[in-house]
């Protein structure tokens, strides 16, 4: 029997490449569709690779038809909260308009299952921590808003076209690298806390900025729920199985329910690396909520998702191994914006 083909947009990116790895290990055939604007060709460990932009509707349609695609996992997007504040048009274009066009093509080509990379940023400044999926979406930055719009489109479309179902996975702070250190985060212009902390430890930067020490949190720095990439990847496979079996649309948080402050991340990064780098308090970064922690009861109950790596040391350790490997191999992406 032929392996089932699954279209993965943005499959050469950080999260996409881990999901592609797992699809392959599960005996599925990922069809990776990526324009390599932020992804890396060598991160695609299996399946077929197509160099394509989601704006290229004819190529997208041809790909879906050629590979007889029934399921799509959509990653291709812009993801930096702070960047979205200065570039709202780019974010709405890439995350809302282009995704809208993709959804339209999916409807026209009879796609049945759609897994969407959403984000905890749709919650804005949550009134509770942990926060459940039932909370109202009140995003405070263009990134979160651009993802919220797509969730709304998906909800309406799935009601109007009963053969089309989706699962929106609201990611909290994804971090860490592949257990065998084959793939990991390699953005052209890193902005994420852990990457910057590790690269500061490696001596690439003179110091790490701590954006905001006056939040209403125990140590004054912002709190996030860091989820290991392998646990997040597994959620996508379970989402696909659920869609195929249940044919129902759902929204799930992806996080551990454990919050860590920026200072805690810095402390554990120093422990893991054994390097005492400089971390300097500075102003808050625009668009940053003080605290984002997931209530992940629903995904555990409904998809049977079991977090295996709820351990900041392990998360940072895998990212550290990856960063050392990247630097050693001179394989870091440089220059252009991500
Ligand atoms: N931070 C610093 N110094 C840095 C970088 C970050 O103090 O050099 C702080 C930020 O201000 C924030 C925290 O570390 O308080 C985490 O910041 P990241 O940039 O690592 O991640 P974000 O929380 O801004 O965003 C990430 C993803 C989004 C996703 C969000 C969900 O990039 O796509 O997590 O919480 F929506």
């Amino acid at each position: 029997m032929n392996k089932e083909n699954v279209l993965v947009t943005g499959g050469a990116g950080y999260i996409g490449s881990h999901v592609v790895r797992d699809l392959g290990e599960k005996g599925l055939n990922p069809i990776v569709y990526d324009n390599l604007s932020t992804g890396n060709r060598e991160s695609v460990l299996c399946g077929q690779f197509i160099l394509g932009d989601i704006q290229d509707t004819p190529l997208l349609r041809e790909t879906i038809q050629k590979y007889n695609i029934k399921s799509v996992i959509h990653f291709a997007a812009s993801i930096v909260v702070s960047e979205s504040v200065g570039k709202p048009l780019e974010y709405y274009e890439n995350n809302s308009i282009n995704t809208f066009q993709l959804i339209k093509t999916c409807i026209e080509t009879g796609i049945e299952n759609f897994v969407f990379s959403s984000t905890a940023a749709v919650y804005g400044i949550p009134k509770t921590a942990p926060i459940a999926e039932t909370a109202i979406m009140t995003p405070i930055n263009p990134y979160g808003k651009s993802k919220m719009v797509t969730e709304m489109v998906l909800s309406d479309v799935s009601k109007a076209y009963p053969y089309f179902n989706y699962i929106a996975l609201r990611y909290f702070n994804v971090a860490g690298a592949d257990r065998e250190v084959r793939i990991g985060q390699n953005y052209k212009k890193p902005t994420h806390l852990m990457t910057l902390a590790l690269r500061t430890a490696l001596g690439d930067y003179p110091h790490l900025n701590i954006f905001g020490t006056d939040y209403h949190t125990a140590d004054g720095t912002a709190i996030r729920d860091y989820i290991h990439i392998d646990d997040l990847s597994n959620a996508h496979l379970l989402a696909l199985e659920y869609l195929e079996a249940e044919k129902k649309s759902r929204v799930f948080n992806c996080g551990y329910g454990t919050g860590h402050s920026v200072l805690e991340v810095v402390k554990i990064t120093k422990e893991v690396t054994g390097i005492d780098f400089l971390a300097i308090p500075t102003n808050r970064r625009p668009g940053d909520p003080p605290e984002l922690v997931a209530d992940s009861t629903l995904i555990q109950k409904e998809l049977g998702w079991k977090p295996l790596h709820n351990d900041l040391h392990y998360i940072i350790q895998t990212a550290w191994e990856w960063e050392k490997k990247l630097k050693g191999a001179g394989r870091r992406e440089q220059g252009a914006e991500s």
Side-chain angles (χ1 to χ4, degrees), residues 53-338:
D53 197 294
I54 53 167
Q55 279 178 300
D56 187 349
T57 303
L59 179 61
L60 204 49
R61 182 188 296 273
E62 189 192 311
T63 305
I64 289 172
Q65 286 164 347
K66 178 175 172 194
Y67 291 98
N68 192 23
I69 304 282
K70 290 283 167 252
S71 301
V72 174
I73 307 183
H74 175 47
F75 294 101
S78 305
I79 59 147
V80 180
V81 170
S82 51
E83 182 186 58
S84 77
V85 177
K87 297 180 177 172
L89 294 173
E90 216 172 89
Y91 273 70
Y92 284 113
E93 179 168 29
N94 200 17
N95 294 356
S96 310
I97 299 173
N98 293 349
T99 302
F100 171 80
Q101 199 54 50
L102 167 68
I103 295 167
K104 201 165 163 225
T105 305
C106 288
I107 292 299
E108 288 163 3
T109 52
I111 294 295
E112 294 169 8
N113 310 310
F114 193 93
V115 181
F116 174 59
S117 304
S118 190
T119 171
V122 298
Y123 293 121
I125 300 179
K127 293 199 172 55
T128 61
I131 186 149
E133 293 84 350
T134 44
I136 296 170
M137 293 190 277
T138 49
I140 58 164
N141 48 58
Y143 169 65
K145 289 178 193 169
S146 70
K147 291 282 186 174
M148 178 185 75
V149 168
T150 303
E151 280 203 28
M152 288 168 152
V153 172
L154 283 168
S155 170
D156 289 341
V157 167
S158 68
K159 285 176 196 137
Y161 300 90
Y163 60 85
F164 176 88
N165 292 293
Y166 76 97
I167 289 184
L169 296 175
R170 293 181 181 160
Y171 308 161
F172 284 65
N173 285 57
V174 192
D178 169 53
R179 50 192 170 260
E180 291 172 37
V181 206
R182 291 166 296 180
I183 47 179
Q185 207 176 85
N186 191 7
Y187 295 129
K188 290 170 181 151
K189 197 180 153 208
T191 58
H192 289 102
L193 174 63
M194 275 186 202
T195 308
L196 293 177
L198 290 167
R199 291 192 181 184
T200 308
L202 280 172
D204 293 357
Y205 306 107
H207 69 269
L208 176 77
N209 288 309
I210 299 191
F211 294 132
T213 50
D214 58 349
Y215 287 107
H216 288 292
T217 59
D219 66 19
T221 64
I223 291 177
R224 295 289 183 274
D225 186 342
Y226 294 91
I227 170 172
H228 191 271
I229 182 73
D230 287 346
D231 278 336
L232 181 76
S233 177
N234 186 36
H236 292 76
L237 273 80
L238 295 171
L240 211 53
E241 274 173 25
Y242 180 97
L243 284 168
E244 282 173 355
E246 304 293 331
K247 306 198 181 310
K248 268 203 302 210
S249 294
R250 305 296 300 262
V251 176
F252 296 114
N253 282 341
C254 292
Y256 292 139
T258 314
H260 296 284
S261 73
V262 173
L263 286 181
E264 245 181 294
V265 171
V266 170
K267 179 174 168 279
I268 297 175
T269 304
K270 288 180 180 180
E271 281 170 20
V272 167
T273 61
I275 298 167
D276 186 15
F277 56 88
L278 195 60
I280 300 180
T282 181
N283 294 336
R284 292 183 183 193
R285 202 173 58 173
D288 277 348
E291 181 165 8
L292 277 172
V293 178
D295 178 340
S296 60
T297 313
L298 198 64
I299 189 170
Q300 299 197 43
K301 181 166 167 269
E302 298 289 318
L303 298 190
W305 179 72
K306 287 189 184 62
L308 299 179
H309 305 299
N310 182 5
D311 173 359
L312 202 54
H313 278 91
Y314 176 79
I315 296 173
I316 295 176
Q317 184 70 48
T318 57
W320 176 230
E321 298 307 327
W322 169 250
E323 286 299 332
K324 285 190 291 185
K325 180 175 171 183
L326 264 189
K327 185 161 182 165
R331 265 184 48 206
R332 275 207 203 134
E333 290 290 325
Q334 293 294 351
E337 292 193 2
S338 61

